[in-house]
Amino acid sequence: MQAGPVVACAQSTSLALEGLQNRLARRAAGAARTAQEWPAHFVAFDLLRLSGTNTTSWPYRRRRAALESVFAARRLSAPWALCPSTIEADVVREWLMTWASVGMKGVVFKRLEDAYRPSVRGWQRYKVRETSEAIVGAVTGSLVAPRTLLLGRYDTDGRLQHVGRTTTLAQTASNTVAGLLAPGRRGHPWTGWSFSAGWGSQEKLNVTLVEPELVVEVGVDVARDAAGRWRHPARWRRARPDLSPADVALL
């Protein structure tokens, strides 16, 4: 069976990919401890081989029926899970509204009559996105020509936490932001911090700190790590000089 393993944190109601990565890095007793802390379910969403038979040439409709038969015949239950599937648009809309709150970031569409292809060719993916506000705490590039924005939100203890970074700004957006930024003063909350180039990346960014005064509106998907940071780059929407940092939701 082809499957996507999904990890759910035992202490919360949301899914956490970093929990799976943490488990994969452990061995022996450490692996057993993290297995208890981060219980995983094996989520099957396609069937590539059945009782020694290669099923990749079968249409998806037939593969799906066979996969459902396997689960029914063997009475599989947690930690085995069958990924839901539907051809009803209203059901998909309901899933997107319901599952976004626990970290499901979208749905994948496959043609019912297509054979399996060993890549994402022929698939269509739809990600749930939302509009959000954040505070600019640093930039890559320069103050006069910012390339990307490093975004933050205050936590409940009043500390500015890094929550993500934007995609590369278009020239018009870069010009707009440049006119609204001020150099970071002594005592900036991110002084001495280092930032990675992306979620899970070891590459460090060269950043310029700015005064955390400018609020911007960005488009983000719902994928977040355990600390609440956006796993994927945010998309610039607009500057919000009409808002103050105090208007931005807490992390």
Side-chain angles (χ1 to χ4, degrees):
M1 287 185 289
Q2 181 203 31
V6 179
V7 172
C9 173
Q11 284 103 14
S12 74
T13 57
S14 63
L15 303 174
L17 180 60
E18 68 272 16
L20 178 60
Q21 294 175 322
N22 189 24
R23 285 186 56 172
L24 293 174
R26 303 299 179 90
R27 296 291 182 271
R33 286 194 300 271
T34 53
Q36 291 183 339
E37 182 180 359
W38 298 91
H41 285 209
F42 186 94
V43 183
F45 57 86
D46 209 334
L47 184 70
L48 308 188
R49 186 170 292 272
L50 179 63
S51 300
T53 300
N54 186 333
T55 63
T56 56
S57 64
W58 295 3
Y60 177 69
R61 185 193 303 273
R62 183 181 175 188
R63 299 197 313 273
R64 176 69 192 191
L67 179 59
E68 291 176 356
S69 295
V70 168
F71 269 77
R74 299 187 180 184
R75 298 181 180 180
L76 296 177
S77 59
W80 301 90
L82 177 62
C83 182
S85 180
T86 185
I87 59 173
E88 300 295 332
D90 288 343
V91 175
V92 174
R93 294 188 189 99
E94 181 181 354
W95 287 348
L96 292 173
M97 290 188 295
T98 303
W99 295 348
S101 62
V102 297
M104 288 292 188
K105 60 183 181 181
V107 294
V108 172
F109 298 88
K110 294 185 178 183
R111 294 182 182 276
L112 292 175
E113 304 308 321
D114 275 2
Y116 176 79
R117 302 179 187 181
S119 70
V120 296
R121 292 176 300 167
W123 299 13
Q124 294 184 13
R125 292 182 288 181
Y126 176 83
K127 289 185 178 182
V128 178
R129 301 193 70 86
E130 60 186 14
T131 299
S132 190
E133 286 80 36
I135 304 159
V136 181
V139 301
T140 62
S142 66
L143 288 179
V144 296
R147 181 173 173 80
T148 66
L149 310 178
L150 277 72
L151 307 173
R153 280 184 172 175
Y154 285 99
D155 62 22
T156 54
D157 294 323
R159 296 171 299 193
L160 184 65
Q161 302 290 354
H162 177 233
V163 296
R165 183 163 70 107
T166 67
T167 55
T168 302
L169 300 177
Q171 187 64 55
T172 52
S174 178
N175 292 341
T176 296
V177 172
L180 299 171
L181 296 176
R185 294 189 291 269
R186 188 173 182 178
H188 189 287
W190 289 352
T191 300
W193 288 28
S194 62
F195 302 89
S196 67
W199 190 79
S201 172
Q202 298 299 315
E203 180 186 352
K204 300 301 180 184
L205 291 173
N206 183 19
V207 306
T208 300
L209 299 180
V210 301
E211 277 304 291
E213 299 171 340
L214 176 64
V215 176
V216 295
E217 182 180 296
V218 292
V220 295
D221 65 37
V222 297
R224 291 177 171 83
D225 66 14
R229 294 181 293 257
W230 295 312
R231 288 214 315 262
H232 303 134
R235 298 178 183 176
W236 164 267
R237 291 290 182 86
R238 57 175 174 155
R240 294 296 306 270
D242 56 312
L243 299 179
S244 75
D247 296 318
V248 177
L250 297 177
L251 181 63

